[in-house]
Amino acid sequence: MSQQRKRLGDMLVEAGLISEQQLLSTLKDKSPSQKLGDALLEKGYITEQQLIQVLEIQLGIPHISLYKYPFDTRLFHLVPKEVARRNNLIPIKKEGEKLFVAMSDPMDFYAIDDLRLTTGFHIETVIATKDDIVKAINKLYEVDSEFDEFIDQVPVVNRVQEEKVSEQQDSPIIRLVNSIFLNAVTSKASDIHIDPQEYKIVIRNRVDGVLRVERILPKQLQSVLTARIKVLAQLDITETRVPMDGRMKVHLDHHTVDLRISTVPTVYGEKIVIRVLDLGSTISDIENIGFNKLNLKRFLSMIQKPTGMVLITGPTGSGKSSTLYSALNQLNSSEVNIVTIEDPVEFQIEGVNQIQVNPNVGMTFAKGLRSILRQDPNIIMVGEIRDKETVEVAIRASLTGHLVLSTLHTNDSIGTITRLIDMGVEPFLVASSLSGIVAQRLVRKVCRDCRTEQLPTLMEKEIFAKRGIMIEKVVRGNGCSACNMSGYKGRIAIHEVLVIDDEIRRVIMNEESIQSLKDIATSNKTVFLIDDGLLKVKQGLTTTEEVLKVAYLD
């Protein structure tokens, strides 16, 4: 019994999951109403799985995994979906007069008493992670049972009727669309793909950069599903032959979520891709993005210069915007005037003047940038450099006393220099304006709940030896309910930070070979993408396979 009376923080320290210093700083920072476990999760010191394993010992309540659990779905009528979501619980089985309920907080006695009074059963609790419970509620409390009758009523005559059905407040199609959105947000998906096929519709979510099938819907729902999403995004539902773009904001589970809609006509109907931007998520601190010590020091010195241009490069979805916003957050103060021009404005930062590109009224990047220069800015952020006109105005701004931050789609830092010259910028302008270039990629992190240490393979030893890095062990995930059996959970950035010094400027102005630039970068101890990735493998953050997907081995 004495073990059960131990405080949670002391037990976590004893188990070696957190340090005494981390416990004290969390206790100091957390609000009075916030539970210690939630505060530690928020700071990333522990995982939910680690927390419930310690709670199991502390409270003497067993914990279970809800991944592929054989639920008795007949019990769901006892506990309405709203009650389940509000109290983070789900009924799992019934034995006589006992109703077994999985809860993320089994000490929530108000919820337990409420459940006992409304159901008439004696409530027995088990612990499950909040993520597990939310996923189970979203997946199992579905509206599929209503579709058999609804499918027969789906109008097939004209678009006007489709619009009427898609706007009926109590329509199953509205609940289906909300369910698709909510499932994407709770699983931290970056994109939703609605793929029409010959006899079905496939819904896929991109989680941690990888697409996975969430559900398959009958073909008969395609027209009203498409109509509902187009109505929400204020797109023309009568037009199905041309690609369309729209956006909308929805409120889901106490979050405001910005959704960007893109449709394209395919042979089986319109394919819809929805980019999910959770406006409730906070901008990362620049030190938590994944820079190693040398790269962080170099990047901070670049953005703290009063003039010059800093470019962040990489393909779509490599986290460039997040790094830019973190840099702006670092520089943001009442003493400087920061103006941005973006398409779209993804996150709103207090104290920063953000302008939305609108080509329909002639507000392009280049035109907006010229207007910004008359607004007495100290720091200018251009969302993306897409053409010669924009890059010329940006370079002119960097040469006339402004710090300019922007992004560009190139493969690596050195390739960015040749890309700018290819866009028609004179080499001497490139050399004199650039302060530095950051190439960035995202790789999946090994799941902290199922990670195991292994000996590196022969191929891995050769790869590390080729880059001059010693490796004794690597970490891989076995797969668990927390990571959907993938072995990975979350993503981390790998970087290549190229500082433009006098030697590199000379090479650019003389239009020497790319190899000359690489030689100078190597002598300046530049950590290339592949090297930063392999160092993160050595630290046990990711795997060699993930790094080789995004970085080339010379």
Side-chain angles (χ1 to χ4, degrees), residues 30-60:
K30 81 178 186 70
S31 63
S33 60
Q34 191 179 26
K35 296 188 177 92
L36 174 62
D38 291 339
L40 290 165
L41 286 171
E42 201 175 272
K43 285 179 175 280
Y45 292 150
I46 56 171
T47 67
E48 260 200 291
Q49 204 68 38
Q50 291 168 338
L51 176 63
I52 64 169
Q53 282 168 2
V54 173
L55 282 173
E56 180 181 30
I57 299 166
Q58 188 195 33
L59 304 173

PDB file of all heavy atoms in Angstrom, residues 30-60:
ATOM      1  N   LYS A  30       3.696  24.807 -14.423  1.00  0.00           N
ATOM      2  CA  LYS A  30       2.316  24.398 -14.719  1.00  0.00           C
ATOM      3  C   LYS A  30       1.310  25.263 -13.958  1.00  0.00           C
ATOM      4  O   LYS A  30       1.598  25.786 -12.881  1.00  0.00           O
ATOM      5  CB  LYS A  30       2.127  22.919 -14.400  1.00  0.00           C
ATOM      6  CG  LYS A  30       1.893  22.581 -12.936  1.00  0.00           C
ATOM      7  CD  LYS A  30       1.668  21.100 -12.754  1.00  0.00           C
ATOM      8  CE  LYS A  30       1.282  20.756 -11.319  1.00  0.00           C
ATOM      9  NZ  LYS A  30      -0.045  21.220 -10.944  1.00  0.00           N
ATOM     10  N   SER A  31       0.121  25.397 -14.533  1.00  0.00           N
ATOM     11  CA  SER A  31      -0.942  26.156 -13.873  1.00  0.00           C
ATOM     12  C   SER A  31      -1.503  25.337 -12.710  1.00  0.00           C
ATOM     13  O   SER A  31      -1.415  24.098 -12.735  1.00  0.00           O
ATOM     14  CB  SER A  31      -2.055  26.484 -14.866  1.00  0.00           C
ATOM     15  OG  SER A  31      -2.653  25.291 -15.346  1.00  0.00           O
ATOM     16  N   PRO A  32      -2.118  25.986 -11.709  1.00  0.00           N
ATOM     17  CA  PRO A  32      -2.620  25.250 -10.528  1.00  0.00           C
ATOM     18  C   PRO A  32      -3.641  24.167 -10.888  1.00  0.00           C
ATOM     19  O   PRO A  32      -3.703  23.124 -10.240  1.00  0.00           O
ATOM     20  CB  PRO A  32      -3.260  26.348  -9.677  1.00  0.00           C
ATOM     21  CG  PRO A  32      -2.595  27.613 -10.112  1.00  0.00           C
ATOM     22  CD  PRO A  32      -2.280  27.440 -11.556  1.00  0.00           C
ATOM     23  N   SER A  33      -4.442  24.411 -11.929  1.00  0.00           N
ATOM     24  CA  SER A  33      -5.502  23.453 -12.285  1.00  0.00           C
ATOM     25  C   SER A  33      -4.985  22.297 -13.154  1.00  0.00           C
ATOM     26  O   SER A  33      -5.668  21.288 -13.330  1.00  0.00           O
ATOM     27  CB  SER A  33      -6.625  24.175 -13.028  1.00  0.00           C
ATOM     28  OG  SER A  33      -6.117  24.768 -14.215  1.00  0.00           O
ATOM     29  N   GLN A  34      -3.782  22.454 -13.719  1.00  0.00           N
ATOM     30  CA  GLN A  34      -3.260  21.428 -14.638  1.00  0.00           C
ATOM     31  C   GLN A  34      -2.655  20.261 -13.869  1.00  0.00           C
ATOM     32  O   GLN A  34      -1.941  20.441 -12.893  1.00  0.00           O
ATOM     33  CB  GLN A  34      -2.195  22.046 -15.564  1.00  0.00           C
ATOM     34  CG  GLN A  34      -1.796  21.137 -16.714  1.00  0.00           C
ATOM     35  CD  GLN A  34      -0.758  21.783 -17.621  1.00  0.00           C
ATOM     36  OE1 GLN A  34       0.010  22.648 -17.191  1.00  0.00           O
ATOM     37  NE2 GLN A  34      -0.739  21.377 -18.884  1.00  0.00           N
ATOM     38  N   LYS A  35      -2.956  19.054 -14.337  1.00  0.00           N
ATOM     39  CA  LYS A  35      -2.390  17.854 -13.703  1.00  0.00           C
ATOM     40  C   LYS A  35      -0.913  17.737 -14.078  1.00  0.00           C
ATOM     41  O   LYS A  35      -0.511  18.113 -15.177  1.00  0.00           O
ATOM     42  CB  LYS A  35      -3.147  16.609 -14.158  1.00  0.00           C
ATOM     43  CG  LYS A  35      -4.607  16.581 -13.722  1.00  0.00           C
ATOM     44  CD  LYS A  35      -5.219  15.232 -14.053  1.00  0.00           C
ATOM     45  CE  LYS A  35      -6.647  15.169 -13.547  1.00  0.00           C
ATOM     46  NZ  LYS A  35      -7.633  15.573 -14.511  1.00  0.00           N
ATOM     47  N   LEU A  36      -0.116  17.186 -13.162  1.00  0.00           N
ATOM     48  CA  LEU A  36       1.327  17.048 -13.393  1.00  0.00           C
ATOM     49  C   LEU A  36       1.596  16.200 -14.634  1.00  0.00           C
ATOM     50  O   LEU A  36       2.449  16.534 -15.456  1.00  0.00           O
ATOM     51  CB  LEU A  36       1.997  16.425 -12.162  1.00  0.00           C
ATOM     52  CG  LEU A  36       3.488  16.097 -12.312  1.00  0.00           C
ATOM     53  CD1 LEU A  36       4.294  17.366 -12.571  1.00  0.00           C
ATOM     54  CD2 LEU A  36       4.019  15.365 -11.092  1.00  0.00           C
ATOM     55  N   GLY A  37       0.859  15.094 -14.778  1.00  0.00           N
ATOM     56  CA  GLY A  37       1.050  14.206 -15.937  1.00  0.00           C
ATOM     57  C   GLY A  37       0.850  14.932 -17.247  1.00  0.00           C
ATOM     58  O   GLY A  37       1.656  14.799 -18.183  1.00  0.00           O
ATOM     59  N   ASP A  38      -0.227  15.752 -17.323  1.00  0.00           N
ATOM     60  CA  ASP A  38      -0.506  16.507 -18.546  1.00  0.00           C
ATOM     61  C   ASP A  38       0.590  17.525 -18.832  1.00  0.00           C
ATOM     62  O   ASP A  38       0.973  17.737 -19.985  1.00  0.00           O
ATOM     63  CB  ASP A  38      -1.865  17.230 -18.438  1.00  0.00           C
ATOM     64  CG  ASP A  38      -3.033  16.255 -18.458  1.00  0.00           C
ATOM     65  OD1 ASP A  38      -2.837  15.121 -18.945  1.00  0.00           O
ATOM     66  OD2 ASP A  38      -4.126  16.621 -17.984  1.00  0.00           O
ATOM     67  N   ALA A  39       1.110  18.161 -17.770  1.00  0.00           N
ATOM     68  CA  ALA A  39       2.176  19.166 -17.936  1.00  0.00           C
ATOM     69  C   ALA A  39       3.453  18.510 -18.458  1.00  0.00           C
ATOM     70  O   ALA A  39       4.140  19.067 -19.326  1.00  0.00           O
ATOM     71  CB  ALA A  39       2.445  19.880 -16.607  1.00  0.00           C
ATOM     72  N   LEU A  40       3.777  17.316 -17.954  1.00  0.00           N
ATOM     73  CA  LEU A  40       4.977  16.593 -18.411  1.00  0.00           C
ATOM     74  C   LEU A  40       4.821  16.140 -19.858  1.00  0.00           C
ATOM     75  O   LEU A  40       5.779  16.176 -20.639  1.00  0.00           O
ATOM     76  CB  LEU A  40       5.244  15.387 -17.508  1.00  0.00           C
ATOM     77  CG  LEU A  40       5.731  15.697 -16.082  1.00  0.00           C
ATOM     78  CD1 LEU A  40       5.599  14.477 -15.191  1.00  0.00           C
ATOM     79  CD2 LEU A  40       7.171  16.202 -16.099  1.00  0.00           C
ATOM     80  N   LEU A  41       3.603  15.729 -20.237  1.00  0.00           N
ATOM     81  CA  LEU A  41       3.331  15.341 -21.633  1.00  0.00           C
ATOM     82  C   LEU A  41       3.501  16.536 -22.563  1.00  0.00           C
ATOM     83  O   LEU A  41       4.059  16.429 -23.643  1.00  0.00           O
ATOM     84  CB  LEU A  41       1.904  14.789 -21.765  1.00  0.00           C
ATOM     85  CG  LEU A  41       1.640  13.388 -21.217  1.00  0.00           C
ATOM     86  CD1 LEU A  41       0.145  13.088 -21.234  1.00  0.00           C
ATOM     87  CD2 LEU A  41       2.377  12.333 -22.034  1.00  0.00           C
ATOM     88  N   GLU A  42       2.986  17.696 -22.116  1.00  0.00           N
ATOM     89  CA  GLU A  42       3.046  18.921 -22.917  1.00  0.00           C
ATOM     90  C   GLU A  42       4.491  19.315 -23.199  1.00  0.00           C
ATOM     91  O   GLU A  42       4.830  19.768 -24.298  1.00  0.00           O
ATOM     92  CB  GLU A  42       2.336  20.039 -22.154  1.00  0.00           C
ATOM     93  CG  GLU A  42       1.874  21.195 -23.014  1.00  0.00           C
ATOM     94  CD  GLU A  42       1.076  22.197 -22.196  1.00  0.00           C
ATOM     95  OE1 GLU A  42      -0.144  22.031 -22.068  1.00  0.00           O
ATOM     96  OE2 GLU A  42       1.694  23.143 -21.668  1.00  0.00           O
ATOM     97  N   LYS A  43       5.355  19.130 -22.221  1.00  0.00           N
ATOM     98  CA  LYS A  43       6.771  19.483 -22.389  1.00  0.00           C
ATOM     99  C   LYS A  43       7.549  18.416 -23.156  1.00  0.00           C
ATOM    100  O   LYS A  43       8.701  18.634 -23.536  1.00  0.00           O
ATOM    101  CB  LYS A  43       7.424  19.706 -21.014  1.00  0.00           C
ATOM    102  CG  LYS A  43       7.042  21.029 -20.354  1.00  0.00           C
ATOM    103  CD  LYS A  43       7.710  21.164 -18.996  1.00  0.00           C
ATOM    104  CE  LYS A  43       7.439  22.526 -18.377  1.00  0.00           C
ATOM    105  NZ  LYS A  43       8.291  23.582 -18.921  1.00  0.00           N
ATOM    106  N   GLY A  44       6.935  17.241 -23.369  1.00  0.00           N
ATOM    107  CA  GLY A  44       7.581  16.179 -24.131  1.00  0.00           C
ATOM    108  C   GLY A  44       8.594  15.375 -23.320  1.00  0.00           C
ATOM    109  O   GLY A  44       9.403  14.643 -23.883  1.00  0.00           O
ATOM    110  N   TYR A  45       8.542  15.494 -21.974  1.00  0.00           N
ATOM    111  CA  TYR A  45       9.489  14.755 -21.138  1.00  0.00           C
ATOM    112  C   TYR A  45       9.156  13.261 -21.084  1.00  0.00           C
ATOM    113  O   TYR A  45      10.043  12.433 -20.917  1.00  0.00           O
ATOM    114  CB  TYR A  45       9.509  15.318 -19.705  1.00  0.00           C
ATOM    115  CG  TYR A  45      10.093  16.709 -19.581  1.00  0.00           C
ATOM    116  CD1 TYR A  45       9.667  17.586 -18.588  1.00  0.00           C
ATOM    117  CD2 TYR A  45      11.078  17.153 -20.461  1.00  0.00           C
ATOM    118  CE1 TYR A  45      10.200  18.865 -18.463  1.00  0.00           C
ATOM    119  CE2 TYR A  45      11.608  18.427 -20.351  1.00  0.00           C
ATOM    120  CZ  TYR A  45      11.166  19.284 -19.361  1.00  0.00           C
ATOM    121  OH  TYR A  45      11.694  20.548 -19.252  1.00  0.00           O
ATOM    122  N   ILE A  46       7.863  12.942 -21.163  1.00  0.00           N
ATOM    123  CA  ILE A  46       7.433  11.535 -21.131  1.00  0.00           C
ATOM    124  C   ILE A  46       6.394  11.309 -22.233  1.00  0.00           C
ATOM    125  O   ILE A  46       5.853  12.265 -22.781  1.00  0.00           O
ATOM    126  CB  ILE A  46       6.815  11.139 -19.757  1.00  0.00           C
ATOM    127  CG1 ILE A  46       5.638  12.071 -19.417  1.00  0.00           C
ATOM    128  CG2 ILE A  46       7.848  11.105 -18.669  1.00  0.00           C
ATOM    129  CD1 ILE A  46       4.838  11.631 -18.212  1.00  0.00           C
ATOM    130  N   THR A  47       6.122  10.037 -22.519  1.00  0.00           N
ATOM    131  CA  THR A  47       5.053   9.703 -23.475  1.00  0.00           C
ATOM    132  C   THR A  47       3.822   9.279 -22.670  1.00  0.00           C
ATOM    133  O   THR A  47       3.918   8.948 -21.485  1.00  0.00           O
ATOM    134  CB  THR A  47       5.467   8.557 -24.400  1.00  0.00           C
ATOM    135  OG1 THR A  47       5.595   7.357 -23.626  1.00  0.00           O
ATOM    136  CG2 THR A  47       6.793   8.846 -25.100  1.00  0.00           C
ATOM    137  N   GLU A  48       2.680   9.249 -23.357  1.00  0.00           N
ATOM    138  CA  GLU A  48       1.446   8.824 -22.682  1.00  0.00           C
ATOM    139  C   GLU A  48       1.548   7.386 -22.181  1.00  0.00           C
ATOM    140  O   GLU A  48       1.033   7.044 -21.128  1.00  0.00           O
ATOM    141  CB  GLU A  48       0.261   8.956 -23.656  1.00  0.00           C
ATOM    142  CG  GLU A  48      -0.550  10.212 -23.426  1.00  0.00           C
ATOM    143  CD  GLU A  48      -1.937  10.117 -24.024  1.00  0.00           C
ATOM    144  OE1 GLU A  48      -2.030  10.108 -25.260  1.00  0.00           O
ATOM    145  OE2 GLU A  48      -2.907  10.052 -23.256  1.00  0.00           O
ATOM    146  N   GLN A  49       2.217   6.553 -22.973  1.00  0.00           N
ATOM    147  CA  GLN A  49       2.363   5.145 -22.609  1.00  0.00           C
ATOM    148  C   GLN A  49       3.171   5.008 -21.317  1.00  0.00           C
ATOM    149  O   GLN A  49       2.828   4.221 -20.425  1.00  0.00           O
ATOM    150  CB  GLN A  49       3.066   4.395 -23.749  1.00  0.00           C
ATOM    151  CG  GLN A  49       2.796   2.906 -23.797  1.00  0.00           C
ATOM    152  CD  GLN A  49       1.362   2.578 -24.154  1.00  0.00           C
ATOM    153  OE1 GLN A  49       0.768   3.243 -24.976  1.00  0.00           O
ATOM    154  NE2 GLN A  49       0.808   1.571 -23.508  1.00  0.00           N
ATOM    155  N   GLN A  50       4.244   5.799 -21.199  1.00  0.00           N
ATOM    156  CA  GLN A  50       5.064   5.772 -19.985  1.00  0.00           C
ATOM    157  C   GLN A  50       4.265   6.266 -18.779  1.00  0.00           C
ATOM    158  O   GLN A  50       4.373   5.716 -17.675  1.00  0.00           O
ATOM    159  CB  GLN A  50       6.314   6.641 -20.173  1.00  0.00           C
ATOM    160  CG  GLN A  50       7.321   6.060 -21.170  1.00  0.00           C
ATOM    161  CD  GLN A  50       8.396   7.058 -21.560  1.00  0.00           C
ATOM    162  OE1 GLN A  50       8.215   8.272 -21.436  1.00  0.00           O
ATOM    163  NE2 GLN A  50       9.518   6.553 -22.024  1.00  0.00           N
ATOM    164  N   LEU A  51       3.429   7.298 -19.009  1.00  0.00           N
ATOM    165  CA  LEU A  51       2.628   7.857 -17.919  1.00  0.00           C
ATOM    166  C   LEU A  51       1.632   6.832 -17.385  1.00  0.00           C
ATOM    167  O   LEU A  51       1.512   6.644 -16.174  1.00  0.00           O
ATOM    168  CB  LEU A  51       1.894   9.114 -18.401  1.00  0.00           C
ATOM    169  CG  LEU A  51       0.921   9.766 -17.399  1.00  0.00           C
ATOM    170  CD1 LEU A  51       1.671  10.250 -16.164  1.00  0.00           C
ATOM    171  CD2 LEU A  51       0.163  10.913 -18.040  1.00  0.00           C
ATOM    172  N   ILE A  52       0.921   6.139 -18.289  1.00  0.00           N
ATOM    173  CA  ILE A  52      -0.118   5.211 -17.795  1.00  0.00           C
ATOM    174  C   ILE A  52       0.505   3.965 -17.152  1.00  0.00           C
ATOM    175  O   ILE A  52      -0.094   3.368 -16.271  1.00  0.00           O
ATOM    176  CB  ILE A  52      -1.146   4.826 -18.878  1.00  0.00           C
ATOM    177  CG1 ILE A  52      -0.522   4.049 -20.032  1.00  0.00           C
ATOM    178  CG2 ILE A  52      -1.910   6.020 -19.375  1.00  0.00           C
ATOM    179  CD1 ILE A  52      -1.551   3.451 -20.961  1.00  0.00           C
ATOM    180  N   GLN A  53       1.730   3.610 -17.574  1.00  0.00           N
ATOM    181  CA  GLN A  53       2.393   2.472 -16.924  1.00  0.00           C
ATOM    182  C   GLN A  53       2.737   2.800 -15.476  1.00  0.00           C
ATOM    183  O   GLN A  53       2.620   1.954 -14.588  1.00  0.00           O
ATOM    184  CB  GLN A  53       3.654   2.095 -17.706  1.00  0.00           C
ATOM    185  CG  GLN A  53       3.355   1.303 -18.968  1.00  0.00           C
ATOM    186  CD  GLN A  53       4.551   1.163 -19.887  1.00  0.00           C
ATOM    187  OE1 GLN A  53       5.649   1.627 -19.569  1.00  0.00           O
ATOM    188  NE2 GLN A  53       4.349   0.534 -21.039  1.00  0.00           N
ATOM    189  N   VAL A  54       3.142   4.062 -15.225  1.00  0.00           N
ATOM    190  CA  VAL A  54       3.437   4.482 -13.847  1.00  0.00           C
ATOM    191  C   VAL A  54       2.138   4.668 -13.060  1.00  0.00           C
ATOM    192  O   VAL A  54       2.054   4.301 -11.880  1.00  0.00           O
ATOM    193  CB  VAL A  54       4.287   5.779 -13.852  1.00  0.00           C
ATOM    194  CG1 VAL A  54       4.455   6.323 -12.439  1.00  0.00           C
ATOM    195  CG2 VAL A  54       5.651   5.510 -14.467  1.00  0.00           C
ATOM    196  N   LEU A  55       1.090   5.218 -13.723  1.00  0.00           N
ATOM    197  CA  LEU A  55      -0.208   5.378 -13.051  1.00  0.00           C
ATOM    198  C   LEU A  55      -0.788   4.026 -12.640  1.00  0.00           C
ATOM    199  O   LEU A  55      -1.429   3.904 -11.593  1.00  0.00           O
ATOM    200  CB  LEU A  55      -1.203   6.100 -13.976  1.00  0.00           C
ATOM    201  CG  LEU A  55      -1.068   7.612 -14.107  1.00  0.00           C
ATOM    202  CD1 LEU A  55      -2.005   8.149 -15.177  1.00  0.00           C
ATOM    203  CD2 LEU A  55      -1.354   8.303 -12.773  1.00  0.00           C
ATOM    204  N   GLU A  56      -0.540   3.001 -13.449  1.00  0.00           N
ATOM    205  CA  GLU A  56      -1.022   1.654 -13.146  1.00  0.00           C
ATOM    206  C   GLU A  56      -0.454   1.182 -11.809  1.00  0.00           C
ATOM    207  O   GLU A  56      -1.169   0.610 -10.976  1.00  0.00           O
ATOM    208  CB  GLU A  56      -0.605   0.697 -14.269  1.00  0.00           C
ATOM    209  CG  GLU A  56      -1.065  -0.732 -14.038  1.00  0.00           C
ATOM    210  CD  GLU A  56      -0.609  -1.658 -15.158  1.00  0.00           C
ATOM    211  OE1 GLU A  56       0.453  -1.408 -15.758  1.00  0.00           O
ATOM    212  OE2 GLU A  56      -1.324  -2.634 -15.422  1.00  0.00           O
ATOM    213  N   ILE A  57       0.829   1.456 -11.602  1.00  0.00           N
ATOM    214  CA  ILE A  57       1.474   1.059 -10.337  1.00  0.00           C
ATOM    215  C   ILE A  57       0.959   1.937  -9.196  1.00  0.00           C
ATOM    216  O   ILE A  57       0.617   1.457  -8.116  1.00  0.00           O
ATOM    217  CB  ILE A  57       3.011   1.189 -10.457  1.00  0.00           C
ATOM    218  CG1 ILE A  57       3.538   0.271 -11.568  1.00  0.00           C
ATOM    219  CG2 ILE A  57       3.675   0.852  -9.131  1.00  0.00           C
ATOM    220  CD1 ILE A  57       4.966   0.556 -11.984  1.00  0.00           C
ATOM    221  N   GLN A  58       0.866   3.258  -9.461  1.00  0.00           N
ATOM    222  CA  GLN A  58       0.479   4.202  -8.410  1.00  0.00           C
ATOM    223  C   GLN A  58      -0.956   3.962  -7.935  1.00  0.00           C
ATOM    224  O   GLN A  58      -1.248   3.991  -6.748  1.00  0.00           O
ATOM    225  CB  GLN A  58       0.631   5.638  -8.912  1.00  0.00           C
ATOM    226  CG  GLN A  58       0.424   6.678  -7.808  1.00  0.00           C
ATOM    227  CD  GLN A  58       0.213   8.074  -8.369  1.00  0.00           C
ATOM    228  OE1 GLN A  58      -0.359   8.239  -9.433  1.00  0.00           O
ATOM    229  NE2 GLN A  58       0.655   9.077  -7.624  1.00  0.00           N
ATOM    230  N   LEU A  59      -1.877   3.724  -8.883  1.00  0.00           N
ATOM    231  CA  LEU A  59      -3.298   3.620  -8.559  1.00  0.00           C
ATOM    232  C   LEU A  59      -3.774   2.179  -8.401  1.00  0.00           C
ATOM    233  O   LEU A  59      -4.867   1.939  -7.894  1.00  0.00           O
ATOM    234  CB  LEU A  59      -4.143   4.305  -9.656  1.00  0.00           C
ATOM    235  CG  LEU A  59      -3.815   5.768  -9.956  1.00  0.00           C
ATOM    236  CD1 LEU A  59      -4.610   6.250 -11.159  1.00  0.00           C
ATOM    237  CD2 LEU A  59      -4.115   6.638  -8.740  1.00  0.00           C
ATOM    238  N   GLY A  60      -2.971   1.245  -8.874  1.00  0.00           N
ATOM    239  CA  GLY A  60      -3.395  -0.149  -8.805  1.00  0.00           C
ATOM    240  C   GLY A  60      -4.517  -0.470  -9.786  1.00  0.00           C
ATOM    241  O   GLY A  60      -5.294  -1.405  -9.590  1.00  0.00           O
TER     242      GLY A  60
END
